[in-house]
Each structure stands twice: as C-alpha cells, then as structure tokens.
C-alpha cells in the first residue's frame, strides 16, 4: 500500500492534469459534433429557402409554367429565354446542393435523385440540360446521369 500512496503523491498532479486534458478534449469533441450537426441543419434550411425562392418564381410567372408540361412541344413552340434561364438557375442550384452534399455540409435529402429524374425528364429541362451538360464538372454530370437512370 505504501508504494501506491507514494506513487500518488509523486504523480497525483500529473494524473489529475491528464484526466483534465482528456475530459476537456472529450467535451470539445462533443461540442464540435453538436456544432457540426447544427451547421448542417442551418445549411439545409438555407438550401430550402433558396429552393423555395427559385420555385416561387415559377408560381409568380405564368409564362414559366410550360417548363413543367410533360407534353411541351419545342418544335412547334421553341423554348423562350425566360424558360431557359429558369431551368439554368435550377440546374445551378442543384449543382450547389450536390457539392454541399459531397462535402457533407448539409443533410442528405431522401428522394433527391427521383426529383432530379422527374424534372430533367421533362422536355424543356431536358433540352437545357443537354446544352449545359458539357459545361459542368464530371462528378456533377455523373451524379445527374445516375439519377436519370430508371
């Protein structure tokens, strides 16, 4: 027993210091994890707000509603500049979401690929995607192509 008491007297302060450092690091790790989750949810809320703002434009502008028409005939009525710009904004937004997801900066929405497939399968979005695809980076194009597969 004398050896343990002697060791505690000699190394007690070091032991307490080490336990304090370990406790501090553990607390810091839990704080970082909680902050990371909070940032991811905050980023999701920002992305959701951007999504809402973008799609609200479609509701405000009746001339954009043809974008969602699965029977839009681009031969008889060519795509307008407004329609092309709106779809371009949607694709840019999707690109931003894709990169945020790649860097784990936001919560991964379920059904994203289904949403991409349903939108980019429509005649106007499909035509815009065909024009924009060569301008996108390979990882984003691969993601979209994966989503377009049934």
């Amino acid at each position: 027993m004398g050896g343990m008491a002697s060791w505690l007297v000699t190394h007690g302060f070091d032991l307490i210091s080490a336990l304090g450092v370990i406790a501090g690091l553990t607390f810091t790790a839990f704080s970082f994890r909680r902050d990371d989750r909070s940032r991811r949810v905050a980023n999701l809320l920002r992305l959701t707000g951007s999504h809402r703002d973008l799609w609200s434009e479609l509701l405000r502008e009746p001339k954009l509603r043809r974008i969602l028409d699965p029977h839009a005939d681009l031969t008889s009525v060519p795509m307008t500049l407004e329609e092309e710009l709106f779809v371009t904004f949607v694709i840019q937004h999707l690109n931003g979401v894709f990169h945020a997801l790649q860097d784990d900066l936001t919560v991964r929405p379920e059904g994203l690929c289904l949403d991409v497939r349903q939108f980019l399968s429509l005649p106007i979005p499909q035509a815009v995607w065909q024009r924009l695809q060569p301008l996108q980076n390979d990882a984003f194009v691969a993601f979209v192509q994966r989503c377009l597969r049934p």
Side-chain angles (χ1 to χ4, degrees):
M1 186 83 158
M4 177 66 108
S6 172
W7 185 89
L8 278 175
V9 169
T10 307
H11 299 288
F13 180 75
D14 294 335
L15 178 63
I16 292 171
S17 295
L19 289 175
V21 168
I22 291 169
L25 288 173
T26 302
F27 176 76
T28 301
F30 283 126
S31 295
F32 278 147
R33 184 179 167 118
R34 190 182 67 228
D35 289 346
D36 181 54
R37 275 191 252 149
S38 296
R39 272 191 300 277
R40 291 177 74 219
V41 169
N43 288 340
L44 177 63
L45 292 173
R46 278 194 287 280
L47 288 171
T48 301
S50 297
H51 184 83
R52 181 189 60 245
D53 293 345
L54 184 60
W55 286 98
S56 293
E57 190 64 28
L58 188 100
L59 297 174
R60 278 192 296 274
E61 290 294 332
K63 60 187 171 191
L64 295 176
R65 293 202 179 124
R66 186 172 79 121
I67 291 169
L68 298 179
D69 181 358
H71 306 293
D73 183 1
L74 298 178
T75 305
S76 62
V77 181
M79 181 178 1
T80 66
L81 178 60
E82 291 87 357
E83 290 169 336
E84 184 171 3
L85 285 173
F86 179 82
V87 174
T88 298
F89 292 155
V90 171
I91 290 170
Q92 288 174 338
H93 175 70
L94 177 61
N95 191 0
V97 170
F98 168 75
H99 287 289
L101 290 170
Q102 290 298 104
D103 292 338
D104 205 26
L105 297 176
T106 189
V107 177
R108 184 171 296 277
E110 292 182 23
L112 178 62
C113 270
L114 177 60
D115 195 25
V116 169
R117 182 181 325 119
Q118 288 175 343
F119 181 69
L120 291 180
S121 295
L122 297 168
I124 294 173
Q126 187 177 63
V128 175
W129 172 247
Q130 292 307 314
R131 284 191 215 171
L132 293 179
Q133 183 177 343
L135 305 174
Q136 308 303 312
N137 67 35
D138 292 340
F140 179 60
V141 170
F143 164 74
V144 171
Q145 298 300 23
R146 215 173 28 254
C147 289
L148 290 175
R149 280 187 236 126

